[in-house]
Amino acid sequence: MKPARETLEVLDKLESQHPGADTELHYKTPFQLLVATILSAQSTDARVNMVTPALFKRYRDARALAKATPAALEPQIHSTGFFRAKARALIRMAQALVKQHGGEVPASMDALVELPGVGRKTANVVLGHALGVPGLPVDRHVLRVANRIGIAESDDPVVVEQQLCAAVPKERWTRTSDTLILHGRRICRPKPLCDQCAVRDECDYFRLVVARARDGKAPKKPKKMPAKAAAPHRGSKSIRAARR
Ligand code: SF4
């Protein structure tokens, strides 16, 4: 895994490639971001943003959502997928907010992860973007991109969060996550577009897998690179592009 100094250099380059990276979920309050983030599981931010305007109009706060019934809520969130489980989670989360926090979203990781349907990733999203508390959410994009480049080294999101937080100053945590997520969505996709990447020269995956394939050599798996990040891409578009 790269030392902190190199990690920061990589992040500087990625921030230059993706200036102003931020969550793409639409929200006005911490409660709305909490709801939107729960809905975004196994969905896209664009899809969630289509659903939430009507949802937030009907359920303005935790007290209103706590009184919702699954029968009323499910059709409204149907298109985000897993709508039955999400409806149950949202109602239980809102009821817990009302009962334990007077309807307000607490500004603490410990309190947030106690809420039904809220894990570390969701809590970090809300803390970092809506509550002014530094947080570094690790989703599948952060996991894949950080492991490929070599600025983290684990399949476990909690371990990757710890590794990145140790290397990056607190005030950059949220921006770091947003930048890695955007890079994973636009460039370092499951089939990465390495020819468009600002950190190709620093990337372990490019050096050990993509560049070797370009030269007709067998890919090398970096030490401890998780299987998901090291998925083979021999013959993929990215390798063909890198050959050019
Ligand atoms: S060089 Fe390729 S694999 Fe490495 S971060 Fe960039 S897009 Fe991802």
Side-chain angles (χ1 to χ4, degrees):
M1 196 172 87
K2 298 186 192 306
R5 181 184 51 77
E6 287 179 34
T7 295
L8 292 174
E9 285 170 9
V10 163
L11 292 172
D12 285 345
K13 287 190 177 183
L14 289 178
E15 284 180 20
S16 297
Q17 184 164 22
H18 307 288
D22 198 352
T23 178
E24 292 176 341
L25 292 170
H26 296 168
Y27 68 96
K28 288 184 180 153
T29 65
F31 168 72
Q32 290 185 350
L33 183 57
L34 183 53
V35 170
T37 309
I38 291 172
L39 287 175
S40 70
Q42 307 295 322
S43 186
T44 63
D45 290 356
R47 169 59 57 190
V48 172
N49 290 338
M50 286 181 206
V51 162
T52 47
L55 191 69
F56 295 153
K57 201 171 172 188
R58 185 163 181 179
Y59 305 105
R60 292 184 177 278
D61 54 24
R63 291 181 193 285
L65 187 58
K67 292 178 192 154
T69 62
L73 190 53
E74 285 173 5
Q76 279 208 281
I77 62 171
H78 185 279
S79 64
T80 68
F82 300 95
F83 60 95
R84 289 202 177 90
K86 287 179 182 177
R88 274 197 309 275
L90 287 175
I91 293 168
R92 289 177 57 221
M93 177 276 292
Q95 289 170 344
L97 273 185
V98 172
K99 195 172 173 190
Q100 295 160 24
H101 303 284
E104 299 299 318
V105 178
S108 110
M109 172 62 76
D110 289 348
L112 279 167
V113 295
E114 286 294 312
L115 296 169
V118 178
R120 277 194 77 81
K121 187 197 82 177
T122 298
N124 269 323
V125 169
V126 176
L127 287 170
H129 293 91
L131 292 167
V133 179
L136 203 157
V138 174
D139 72 350
R140 67 186 193 281
H141 299 295
V142 175
L143 205 57
R144 181 178 68 252
V145 175
N147 273 289
R148 279 180 174 168
I149 298 171
I151 57 175
E153 200 174 81
S154 176
D155 257 337
D156 183 341
V158 176
V159 174
V160 168
E161 182 187 333
Q162 288 166 349
Q163 291 170 342
L164 290 173
C165 285
V168 177
K170 258 189 182 186
E171 62 272 16
R172 282 183 73 166
W173 286 358
T174 305
R175 197 164 78 241
T176 292
S177 170
D178 288 335
T179 302
L180 291 172
I181 288 171
L182 208 52
H183 196 61
R185 284 178 177 164
R186 291 182 180 169
I187 308 289
C188 192
R189 299 171 183 174
K191 287 188 177 179
L193 307 173
C194 300
D195 58 321
Q196 297 175 30
C197 181
V199 295
R200 201 167 75 162
D201 291 344
E202 291 83 5
C203 177
D204 290 352
Y205 186 81
F206 181 78
R207 182 168 48 86
L208 297 171
V209 179
V210 180
R212 286 181 65 84
R214 178 192 60 190
D215 296 338
K217 296 176 184 167
K220 274 188 181 175
K221 189 176 168 187
K223 269 187 192 171
K224 292 186 187 170
M225 180 176 276
K228 279 180 199 161
H233 291 281
R234 184 176 280 277
S236 71
K237 277 184 194 166
S238 64
I239 291 176
R240 289 198 292 276
R243 282 184 178 135
R244 289 200 290 268

